[in-house]
């Protein structure tokens, strides 16, 4: 059984690597967003509590999120392990997970420089029609501003503007990065450099996992 989380700033290929690792290990990546929606749909007690906050347009509090995670990881499809996506984002959430008996075998921190994050995200362009993704420098479309697949006008997501990326990095450094020290003290943290290809990074991760 292997229970994992990935840490790193926005744009640090956490989702990409989690997807590759989950396939290689045959375990699920479970995201807080998906868990919330499923709990609400199933009408569990915690789901009903979450729905009351969501219906009121409020953030779902940590204790409800942790309750939903605790429910989810007890399901049979998590028996072999899982990769948790989207939580914890803060020390308070990490402590609450531990209080709920949820601990991790490995916490992989993908080490990405701020300048690399900014270049990756600010240069990203997406097609709102078919979902294709491009980059103004590393993966430009054949015709500037047009999707190769369907010809639709490409857009820059609001999340990818320079100001928003800078703000997201600030939040990461102040709220999420302290988790590295938290898990270092528990001897489960491994730092993996975000250098080279997706395959290069994955080889380093698999080595950390002893695979």
């Amino acid at each position: 059984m292997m229970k994992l989380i990935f840490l790193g700033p926005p744009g640090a290929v956490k989702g990409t690597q989690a997807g590759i690792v989950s396939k290689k290990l045959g375990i699920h990546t479970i995201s807080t967003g998906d868990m919330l929606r499923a709990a609400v749909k199933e009408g569990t007690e915690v789901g009903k509590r979450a729905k009351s906050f969501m219906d009121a347009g409020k953030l779902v509090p940590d204790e409800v999120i942790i309750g939903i995670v605790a429910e989810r990881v007890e399901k049979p499809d998590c028996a072999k392990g899982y990769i948790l996506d989207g939580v914890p984002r803060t020390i308070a959430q990490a402590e609450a997970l531990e209080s709920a008996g949820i601990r991790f075998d490995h916490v992989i921190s993908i080490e990405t420089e701020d300048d690399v994050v900014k270049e990756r995200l600010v240069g990203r362009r997406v097609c709102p029609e078919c979902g294709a993704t491009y980059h103004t420098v590393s993966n430009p479309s054949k015709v500037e501003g047009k999707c190769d697949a369907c010809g639709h006008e490409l857009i820059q997501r609001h999340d990818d503007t320079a100001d928003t990326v800078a703000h997201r990095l600030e939040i990461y450094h102040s709220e999420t990065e302290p988790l590295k020290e938290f898990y270092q003290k528990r001897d489960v943290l491994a730092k993996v450099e975000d250098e080279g290809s997706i395959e290069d990074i994955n080889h380093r991760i698999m080595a950390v996992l002893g695979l």
Side-chain angles (χ1 to χ4, degrees), residues 176-188:
T176 305
E177 197 165 32
L179 286 169
K180 292 200 292 194
E181 187 180 347
F182 180 90
Y183 286 116
Q184 181 89 58
K185 286 176 180 172
R186 283 146 181 80
D187 206 27
V188 291

Side-chain angles (χ1 to χ4, degrees), residues 27-188:
I27 59 178
H28 284 291
T29 297
I30 50 179
S31 82
T32 45
D34 291 344
M35 281 185 272
L36 267 173
R37 285 185 286 275
V40 169
K41 189 177 177 185
E42 289 168 18
T44 66
E45 281 307 309
V46 189
K48 286 174 188 169
R49 286 191 65 199
K51 187 174 187 298
S52 68
F53 288 100
M54 292 157 77
D55 287 349
K58 295 176 181 173
L59 282 176
V60 179
D62 280 359
E63 68 267 18
V64 179
I65 298 280
I66 303 306
I68 284 171
V69 173
E71 274 186 350
R72 180 67 184 86
V73 300
E74 287 301 314
K75 293 197 174 178
D77 64 349
C78 288
K80 287 169 61 183
Y82 50 83
I83 300 170
L84 201 52
D85 176 24
V87 68
R89 291 186 188 276
T90 62
I91 297 285
Q93 287 181 350
E95 289 173 342
L97 285 171
E98 285 197 350
S99 297
I102 298 167
R103 287 176 168 78
F104 301 98
D105 302 304
H106 296 279
V107 176
I108 310 290
S109 174
I110 300 180
E111 302 290 299
T112 314
E113 297 291 330
D114 282 7
D115 288 348
V116 173
V117 168
K118 287 172 185 171
E119 184 186 312
R120 261 184 206 159
L121 297 185
V122 174
R124 184 161 60 185
R125 297 293 182 270
V126 297
C127 176
E129 190 66 26
C130 71
T133 304
Y134 301 89
H135 192 278
T136 53
V137 178
S138 60
N139 181 33
S141 55
K142 293 189 179 98
V143 177
E144 191 178 344
K146 300 278 187 185
C147 177
D148 293 348
C150 68
H152 201 280
E153 204 78 33
L154 298 178
I155 61 164
Q156 182 183 42
R157 289 183 187 138
H158 172 67
D159 269 6
D160 293 342
T161 61
D163 286 349
T164 306
V165 170
H167 180 61
R168 289 169 71 194
L169 280 167
E170 274 176 34
I171 292 171
Y172 168 74
H173 289 307
S174 65
E175 294 186 7
T176 305
E177 197 165 32
L179 286 169
K180 292 200 292 194
E181 187 180 347
F182 180 90
Y183 286 116
Q184 181 89 58
K185 286 176 180 172
R186 283 146 181 80
D187 206 27
V188 291

Side-chain angles (χ1 to χ4, degrees), residues 2-6 21 25 105-110 187-193 200-211:
M2 198 172 284
K3 297 171 287 183
L4 311 173
I5 50 174
F6 286 81
V21 172
L25 299 184
D105 302 304
H106 296 279
V107 176
I108 310 290
S109 174
I110 300 180
D187 206 27
V188 291
L189 182 82
K191 295 180 181 179
V192 171
E193 292 301 321
D200 292 337
I201 299 166
N202 187 253
H203 283 315
R204 290 184 207 117
I205 291 170
M206 298 310 283
V208 162
L209 301 180
L211 300 167

